[in-house]
Each structure stands twice: as C-alpha cells, then as structure tokens.
Amino acid sequence: MATVKKIVQCVPNFSEGRDKTKIEKIVNPFRTREGVKLLNYSNDEDHNRLVVTIVGEPEAVKESMLEAFGIAVDLIDMTKHEGQHPRMGAVDVVPFIPIRNMDMDEAIALSKEVAEEVAKRYNVPVFLYEKSASAPHRENLAKIRKGQFEGMAEKIHEPEWKPDFGPADIHPTAGVVAIGARMPLVAYNVNLNTSDLSIADAIAKKVRHIGGGLRFVKAMGVDLTDRHIVQVSMNLTDFTKTAVYRAHEMVRMEARRYGVEIVGSEVIGLVPMAALIDCAEYYLGIENFSMDQVLESRMME
C-alpha cells in the first residue's frame, strides 16, 4: 500500500512588488524543485510586496524556500524600499500551514528548522511567530513588525525582542524575518471610493480585533495612489470563525458614517473554497447547502 505523503503549504511574503525581473528570480526556485508545486504568486506595486503560495513535501518545500530566501537577500535592499504595506525584511514573513497527513506540531518543527538554517546561511535574525512563538508577546506578527525595518535596528537590542535565531543586529540590507506555523489565512482587501487615507485607517481600527472589532481580523488602511482610492487591507486568521462576508459587511457599515462606499474587493493569493461557499450561502440566501453540491469538490474525491 502506497504511503500517503505529508503535504505542507508555505506562503512567503517578499518585499518586492515592482521589479518583474527580481520577482521572477525569487519565484524560480519554487518552479524547479521536485516535490514542490507553485500554486500562485502575486505582486502589488502599491504595497511593493510579493506573495507566493506553494505546497509540497516538507523537505522539498524547506529547500526551495531557503534557496528563494538567499536570492531575495541578494536582490532586495531594504534601505531603498518604499511601499504601503508594513515590512521589516527582504523576506518579511514565512508561514507554514499543515495541509495533509501533517499536524501543527510538525509544521512548528519545520518552521524552526528553516529559521535556524536562515540564520546560519544568511546571517538574518529570525523571530518565531504564531504557533511557533517562543513567548506570548511574539505570537502576533504586528507586534513583532512594529517599528518596521527603520526602527528594528534599535528594537532588536531590547531584551524582550532578542531574536530567536541569528545575530542581535539586523542584516544591513535584508533586515529581519518572522517565521512560524499557523492556520490557513485569507488575505482580503476592500476598496473604497475615497482618496482620504484617514477614513480607511479609522475603519480598519473599528474592524480589527485589537480595536474592539472582529475576533479573527487584522486590518489597516492602505493608500492606492495610482488609483486615487484607499483600501482596508485585512487578514482573516480563522475564516471558519470570522467569515469573509462578515468582515466585508462590517467595513461597509463603518464606511457609511463617512459617506463612503465600497467599490470593489480582492483576494490576495489563494483562498479556501469553503470561505467562498460561506459567502455564497450568505449573499444568495441558499438554504441547506453542502460542499457536496460543489462540482469541483466531488471531482476531487
């Protein structure tokens, strides 16, 4: 009987969203390694950020990630980086998500292996976050990233922010990185018909959990300069408990107080089918719907 392979997902975020040549070089290791499947990669010029989604066998994913990490360190200079998205390193964050025949403990172990090797090979300080965090105050990525690349040179010398792996000084051009294991995340952005960033910021503060909003939502306002509009950019850390439609409707509700309307939305990277089915059930008022009624779901059985 054939052994069922372990499958892990990895969604690294790189601080480069504008130079197509650099982007292709960073992504290339995920295309060429056996045991790894490149599912998606998307770049955003306003955010100046690249998000890659891969799945595969743990060892193959690990090696391709380490190779891409080295390329990013060579190509990205954080002293010259500008963008709307908070960032602290050339490779900003590397999450591992257990997908099949693999539990969270194994994903945590893999994240620590990669973190140790990153520090050894590239001399980049590493913070473990989410399920891999070494202390409660390091679980939240936003807390680790606070101060961003520019403030990290001083922050890293504070006793409570000593890196888990690597030197106690930032890499001069690649900064620092957060590596960890987590549950599947939905990156969902809502666009508003205003160019006033303070409105998006105010809405984000109301929507996100830390501001008294939805439990599994992180949010911030983003200026989409080229389109002359602003965006509420969100990460839904557990879509099964805080649905995408719920986050969308709360943004709409808060936007009304400013006389602002939603003009569109976007998903960054990949999204679980169940998250979209949940939205369809809500907006269409479908009764007694089941995943078994989705054609593609039945075809994959």
Side-chain angles (χ1 to χ4, degrees), residues 115-116 118-127 156-157 161-172 175-176:
E116 185 174 15
V118 160
K120 187 186 301 181
R121 288 193 196 184
Y122 307 117
N123 210 35
V124 173
V126 180
F127 293 102
I156 204 171
H157 293 143
W161 291 112
K162 179 182 177 182
D164 291 290
F165 294 97
D169 289 295
I170 68 168
H171 188 287
V176 303

Side-chain angles (χ1 to χ4, degrees), residues 140-173:
N140 190 329
L141 178 61
K143 288 185 178 180
I144 298 174
R145 197 191 273 143
K146 188 175 182 180
Q148 300 196 54
F149 172 76
E150 291 76 10
M152 197 59 66
E154 291 187 15
K155 180 178 178 178
I156 204 171
H157 293 143
E158 298 173 11
E160 64 268 34
W161 291 112
K162 179 182 177 182
D164 291 290
F165 294 97
D169 289 295
I170 68 168
H171 188 287
T173 57

